[in-house]
């Protein structure tokens, strides 16, 4: 089979030949196959030509319905075949990944209608995989022990043996267990404190086997933003530890819904410190023959770590709408953190001498050293308090201190955007007020190409927006629930309810319990089941309603199943430590941090409604700010598509 889907002439520039072939695809091949080809799609194709020819970063802002996914896939796949290195398509969430790889997805369409062979493989985040050790524990200890015991019994037979593995057998992916709630899944999935390096099941692990598989992709590796950033952040440490990076060398990167890359980078570029994990790892030193002074230092470090985490628990407070607890730092706490750093420094210095005197296990010693190095690097950030953002989380592992360098854009600038490689940011919402500065500045991108093309849909005929006034003298949540249910009755279900946080989603869920008008309506709630399974249920049960926190972007449900988008609250960023730090660093926090974030996300929420020329429906905005704040109302009205009716009543007739 030919390497390229066109006759390649080595005497001519390759990208120019790709561009000529793509013109044939959109002008001739796809129309003959029954596809509707749009002018906006063709314009985008010629804009991307320059980014691939010059190996530059480009902001490709294209409205809903422009068919931007097909365009960037064509360039990325051809360029991958030319360079013999796969393209990376990094998506903002699992829903977007599913759209690419499902049997009727974009990759399958290209392969079918263009006669292309496309080697596309999934590189999912570690937390999307089962942890065999956690499952082993859960089947004896968890409340759902019987459920987890059944899962354990259904694992592939090779997991329980030590015979040579003959063929790759994928297993353990989150999507294989759609009925598990997120809470149940978190009891058995991988988490950052799993010590995979010394796990005796490592070579039978679904995550390890999948990683070996996707690394061999010839054309495309599809992953999440989180996973790509994890690759960037762990690249050097994995090489030092004798491991391969998470992703192989690649020819280009596409960030689908690229406006969400910054929070993914913040999530990946963090240090996590947990007392119980620290104690478990450092006590490995005590299992060998070591000097008494080192053993005493290890015991001192464990005691000091316990003291630090006791103080952290006392001096942290919950943040409404966020799982992150704000830490109130005092001189006492900072002094105890410094003491912990000092004793760890002493241990590190002494380990070099100790390994020469006694027969410490070299592999275990390397793991301990890596962990101590990470802790010291994290704690050293406190010497320059203005450079770090920190918070406390509480889960099954206990209290975890999370530290994040304030300026993640410096890391991105050096390790991602300095590479001479085509990097495509694709989204319907990358700019604000005609400029890409907000996204570019947050990511440290100084030089880039850009373009914007509008959606081809007739929004004035297909959409109505309702922003009902809310009474100041009535409970807000009850008013919102009542209006939401009125609109749901008007559209006979078929609604997507978008919430800024799980806290607000649960408020609505509680309000439904005592409302008779909700009887007979099937509500699906994010977190109750695996997300792609929920989306499929919503799409196929036409009158159901889906309540979600993470589906402002990436949800593609054309047709009558989605005829009503209800925005429970304007999606401002949470008041967690990350955004508190951003606000403190800004001269105008509301105008420069909160408002741009909210408007970008709200535009994405609007975009869930109209997915084809035949779609129609309503958007319902439930926010008291729209009547209390003239600036907010004006800015929200400005992002409503031109000609769309704005109604300030709850009369949905």
């Amino acid at each position: 089979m030919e390497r390229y889907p066109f006759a390649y002439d080595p005497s001519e520039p390759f990208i120019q030949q790709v561009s000529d072939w793509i013109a044939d695809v959109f002008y001739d091949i796809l129309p003959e196959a029954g596809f509707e080809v749009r002018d906006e799609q063709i314009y985008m194709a010629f804009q991307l030509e320059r980014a691939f020819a010059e190996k530059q970063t480009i902001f490709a802002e294209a409205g809903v319905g422009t068919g931007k996914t097909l365009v960037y896939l064509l360039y990325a796949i051809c360029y991958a075949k030319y360079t013999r290195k796969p393209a990376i398509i990094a998506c903002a969430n699992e829903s977007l990944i599913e759209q690419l790889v499902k049997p009727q997805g974009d990759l399958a369409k290209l392969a079918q209608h263009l006669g292309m062979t496309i080697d596309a493989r999934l590189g999912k985040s570690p937390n999307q995989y089962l942890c065999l050790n956690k499952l082993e524990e859960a089947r004896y200890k968890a409340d759902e022990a019987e459920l987890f015991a059944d899962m354990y019994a259904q694992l592939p037979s090779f997991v329980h043996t030590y015979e040579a593995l003959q063929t790759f057998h994928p297993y353990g992916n989150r999507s294989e267990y759609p009925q598990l709630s997120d809470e149940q899944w978190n009891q058995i999935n991988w988490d950052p404190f799993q010590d995979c390096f010394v796990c005796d099941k490592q070579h039978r692990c679904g995550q390890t086997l999948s990683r070996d598989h996707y690394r061999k992709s010839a054309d495309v590796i599809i992953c999440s933003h989180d996973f790509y950033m994890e690759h960037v952040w762990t690249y050097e440490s994995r090489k030092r530890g004798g491991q391969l990076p998470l992703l192989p060398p690649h020819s280009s990167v596409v960030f689908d819904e690229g406006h969400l890359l910054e929070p993914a980078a913040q999530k990946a570029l963090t240090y996590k410190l947990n007392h119980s994990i620290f104690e478990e790892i450092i006590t490995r030193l005590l299992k060998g023959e070591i000097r008494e002074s080192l053993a005493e230092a290890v015991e001192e470090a464990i005691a000091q770590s316990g003291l630090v985490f006791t103080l952290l628990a006392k001096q942290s407070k919950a943040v409404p709408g966020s799982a992150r607890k704000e830490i109130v730092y005092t001189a006492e706490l900072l002094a105890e953190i410094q003491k912990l750093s000092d004793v760890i420094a002493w241990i590190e210095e002494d380990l070099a001498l100790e390994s020469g005197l006694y027969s410490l296990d070299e592999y275990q010693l390397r793991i301990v050293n890596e962990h101590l190095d990470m802790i010291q690097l994290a704690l050293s950030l406190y010497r320059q308090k203005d450079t770090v953002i920190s918070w406390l989380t509480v889960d099954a592992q206990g209290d975890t201190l999370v530290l994040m360098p304030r300026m993640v854009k410096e890391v991105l600038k050096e390790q991602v955007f300095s590479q001479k490689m085509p990097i495509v940011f694709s989204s319907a919402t990358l700019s604000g007020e005609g400029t890409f500065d907000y996204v570019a500045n947050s990511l440290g991108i100084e030089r880039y190409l850009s373009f914007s093309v509008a959606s081809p849909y007739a929004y004035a005929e297909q959409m109505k927006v309702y922003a009902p006034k809310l009474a100041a003298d009535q409970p807000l949540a009850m008013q919102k629930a009542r209006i939401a249910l009125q609109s749901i009755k008007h559209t006979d279900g078929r609604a997507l309810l978008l919430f800024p946080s799980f806290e607000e989603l649960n408020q609505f869920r509680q309000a439904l319990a005592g409302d008779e008008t909700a009887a007979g309506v099937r509500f699906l709630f994010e977190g109750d089941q695996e997300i792609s399974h929920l989306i499929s249920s919503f799409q196929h049960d036409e009158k159901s309603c889906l309540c979600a926190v993470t589906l402002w972007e990436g949800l593609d449900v054309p047709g009558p199943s989605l005829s009503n988008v209800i925005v429970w609250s304007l999606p401002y960023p949470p008041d967690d430590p990350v955004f508190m730090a951003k606000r403190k660093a800004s001269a105008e926090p509301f105008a420069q941090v909160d408002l741009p974030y909210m408007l970008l996300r709200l535009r994405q929420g609007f975009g869930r409604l109209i997915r084809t020329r035949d779609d129609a429906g309503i958007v319902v905005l439930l926010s008291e700010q729209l009547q209390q704040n003239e600036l907010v109302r004006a800015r929200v009205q400005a992002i409503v598509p031109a000609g769309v009716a704005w109604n300030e009543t709850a009369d949905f007739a």
Side-chain angles (χ1 to χ4, degrees):
M1 184 171 288
E2 295 293 331
R3 182 173 170 188
Y4 307 113
F6 53 86
Y8 172 55
D9 182 354
S11 66
E12 296 293 329
F14 178 76
I15 294 300
Q16 181 59 57
Q17 294 179 70
V18 174
S19 186
D20 291 342
W21 171 71
I22 289 176
D24 291 339
V25 167
F26 287 126
Y27 283 118
D28 299 321
I29 300 174
L30 289 183
E32 289 178 6
F35 281 79
E36 177 189 358
V37 178
R38 300 145 188 148
D39 291 340
E40 296 86 355
Q41 199 172 33
I42 295 169
Y43 175 77
M44 178 179 177
F46 288 111
Q47 293 296 315
L48 285 187
E49 175 188 349
R50 184 180 168 192
F52 278 83
E54 300 178 10
K55 301 178 183 178
Q56 288 203 53
T57 295
I58 186 168
F59 289 122
E61 184 177 57
V64 176
T66 54
K68 52 186 175 290
T69 304
L70 291 182
V71 180
Y72 72 61
L73 282 176
L74 290 173
Y75 272 104
I77 292 168
C78 288
Y79 194 61
K81 292 180 180 295
Y82 177 66
T83 60
R84 298 185 184 273
K85 293 189 291 186
I88 304 296
I89 311 297
C91 301
N93 55 42
E94 295 300 315
S95 175
L96 284 165
I97 291 175
E98 182 69 17
Q99 288 178 42
L100 285 172
V101 301
K102 64 185 179 183
Q104 302 82 29
D106 295 312
L107 285 164
K109 290 176 183 176
L110 286 182
Q112 176 186 351
H113 295 288
L114 301 181
M116 298 175 68
T117 299
I118 304 172
D119 184 5
R121 308 189 188 190
L122 282 177
K124 289 203 169 188
S125 299
N127 62 9
Q128 291 293 309
Y129 287 96
L130 188 69
C131 172
L132 294 175
N133 286 331
K134 288 177 70 174
L135 178 61
E136 174 79 30
E137 295 176 6
R139 69 192 183 111
Y140 293 115
K141 298 179 181 178
D143 294 338
E144 296 94 351
E146 185 176 348
L147 167 67
F148 295 134
D150 289 342
M151 290 177 57
Y152 185 85
Q154 294 170 21
L155 292 173
S157 59
F158 64 73
V159 174
H160 307 294
T161 68
Y162 289 91
E163 299 172 3
L165 189 61
Q166 300 298 320
T167 58
F168 169 71
H169 189 316
Y171 81 95
N173 191 308
R174 172 69 172 105
S175 60
E176 295 173 32
Y177 307 101
Q179 301 299 334
L180 292 185
S181 68
D182 287 352
E183 184 178 353
Q184 290 171 324
W185 175 251
N186 288 335
Q187 294 181 56
I188 58 171
N189 72 329
W190 177 92
D191 63 59
F193 296 115
Q194 293 303 304
D195 193 353
C196 300
F197 298 145
V198 296
C199 178
D200 61 353
K201 301 179 180 67
Q202 182 178 7
H203 300 295
R204 304 278 160 178
C205 171
Q207 180 188 162
T208 302
L209 295 174
S210 296
R211 187 171 298 159
D212 292 340
H213 177 68
Y214 73 67
R215 288 184 58 84
K216 298 172 184 174
S217 173
D219 298 328
V220 179
I221 297 174
I222 301 143
C223 65
S224 66
H225 289 182
D226 292 354
F227 191 56
Y228 190 84
M229 288 297 105
E230 187 74 14
H231 160 73
V232 170
W233 191 232
T234 62
Y235 184 85
E236 292 298 334
S237 64
R238 291 182 67 86
K239 286 176 64 178
R240 285 197 306 270
Q243 295 183 300
L244 291 172
L246 293 179
L247 292 168
H250 39 278
S251 54
S252 64
V253 183
V254 176
F255 293 114
D256 203 341
E257 301 297 358
H259 64 286
L260 293 176
L261 184 62
E262 185 189 13
Q266 291 172 329
K267 180 179 177 181
L269 308 185
T270 56
Y271 302 96
K272 295 184 178 181
L273 281 61
N274 179 282
H275 172 66
S276 61
I277 302 301
F278 170 70
E279 182 176 11
E280 190 277 326
I281 289 178
I282 201 170
T283 51
R284 295 176 186 181
L285 296 175
L286 301 178
K287 295 177 182 178
E289 186 180 0
I290 61 173
R291 288 178 296 128
E292 184 177 347
S293 59
L294 179 56
E296 290 174 350
V298 169
E299 295 291 352
E300 182 184 349
I302 293 171
Q304 187 62 30
S305 172
L307 175 59
V308 166
F309 275 89
T310 298
L311 287 173
L312 285 169
K314 288 180 180 178
Q315 294 173 199
S316 61
K317 56 184 181 180
V319 176
S322 173
R324 299 166 175 173
K325 298 178 73 174
E326 182 185 2
I327 301 169
V328 180
Y329 286 96
T330 63
E332 179 190 10
L333 176 55
L334 293 173
E336 298 302 337
I337 289 173
Q338 184 59 53
K339 288 180 183 178
L340 176 60
S341 179
D342 291 342
V343 69
I344 290 175
W346 190 93
I347 292 172
E348 285 189 299
E349 290 176 5
D350 212 48
L351 279 178
L353 174 63
E354 195 76 15
S355 60
L357 292 175
Y358 296 100
S359 55
L360 291 177
D361 183 275
E362 185 176 341
Y363 189 66
Q364 292 287 353
L365 184 61
R366 189 175 71 189
I367 292 171
V368 173
N369 272 323
E370 280 281 338
H371 194 73
L372 295 181
D373 285 346
M374 181 274 290
I375 292 175
Q376 282 294 66
L377 187 56
L379 296 181
S380 70
L381 295 173
Y382 280 106
R383 299 189 187 108
Q384 300 172 304
K385 277 287 277 132
D386 292 340
T387 68
V388 66
I389 303 169
S390 59
W391 60 89
L392 201 69
T393 63
V394 182
D395 54 28
Q397 296 285 351
D399 292 340
T400 297
L401 174 62
V402 185
L403 301 103
M404 183 185 78
R406 185 182 296 271
M407 302 302 287
V408 296
K409 67 181 182 181
E410 297 300 328
V411 177
L412 297 177
K413 180 179 177 181
E414 178 182 346
Q415 298 187 35
V416 179
F417 301 114
S418 64
Q419 301 181 58
K420 190 68 174 173
M421 177 175 64
I423 298 177
V424 179
F425 283 82
S426 173
S427 176
T429 55
L430 285 168
S431 67
E433 299 183 326
T435 175
F436 294 89
D437 289 349
Y438 177 74
V439 174
N441 292 339
S442 68
L443 296 172
I445 302 173
E446 297 176 347
R447 184 169 177 262
Y448 58 86
L449 306 172
S450 66
F451 69 89
S452 295
V453 290
S455 170
Y457 297 144
Y459 284 106
E461 301 169 11
Q462 295 175 265
M463 175 191 289
K464 290 182 180 179
V465 174
Y466 292 86
K469 292 185 177 180
L470 301 171
D473 58 348
Q474 298 178 30
L476 199 57
M478 296 303 294
Q479 287 186 79
K480 289 183 175 184
R482 185 178 67 250
I483 295 171
L485 289 169
Q486 287 174 5
S487 75
I488 288 169
K489 183 178 179 180
H490 171 70
T491 56
D492 198 12
R494 302 181 172 93
L496 169 68
L497 293 89
L498 293 172
F499 299 84
S501 68
F502 281 100
E503 186 177 63
E504 293 190 60
L505 181 149
N506 288 327
Q507 287 177 4
F508 174 69
R509 194 170 192 167
Q510 291 167 7
L512 289 180
D515 198 315
E516 294 181 359
T517 59
V521 180
R522 185 189 179 204
F523 286 95
L524 305 168
F525 292 92
E526 181 176 357
D528 283 358
Q529 296 179 339
E530 191 268 333
I531 191 66
S532 62
H533 181 73
L534 275 178
I535 293 170
S536 178
S537 298
F538 172 59
Q539 189 163 11
H540 290 98
D541 182 355
E542 190 174 302
K543 296 184 179 182
S544 64
C545 296
L546 176 58
C547 303
V549 174
T550 66
L551 295 178
W552 296 79
E553 299 89 1
L555 182 68
D556 185 18
V557 180
S561 290
L562 208 174
S563 302
N564 182 359
V565 173
I566 300 170
V567 176
W568 183 261
S569 295
L570 296 181
Y572 287 106
D575 288 327
D576 67 13
V578 173
F579 283 97
M580 289 178 185
K582 282 192 165 199
R583 294 180 186 107
K584 288 178 182 177
S586 173
E588 298 180 71
F590 183 74
Q592 296 175 356
V593 177
D594 295 301
L595 200 55
Y597 177 99
M598 182 273 286
L599 293 171
L600 277 177
R601 205 153 202 221
L602 188 58
R603 285 173 63 192
Q604 283 287 338
F606 284 174
R608 298 314 98 211
L609 182 65
I610 307 300
R611 308 303 296 179
T612 73
R613 293 187 188 277
D614 298 324
D615 287 351
I618 62 175
V619 174
V620 182
L621 303 175
L622 302 176
S623 172
E624 69 281 12
Q625 272 204 323
L626 293 174
Q627 61 203 60
Q628 296 172 355
N629 190 315
E630 293 184 8
L631 171 63
V632 170
R633 182 171 65 253
R635 295 294 296 276
V636 169
Q637 288 178 324
I639 66 170
V640 173
V644 171
W646 176 277
N647 305 276
E648 295 190 348
T649 70
D651 182 6
F652 301 110

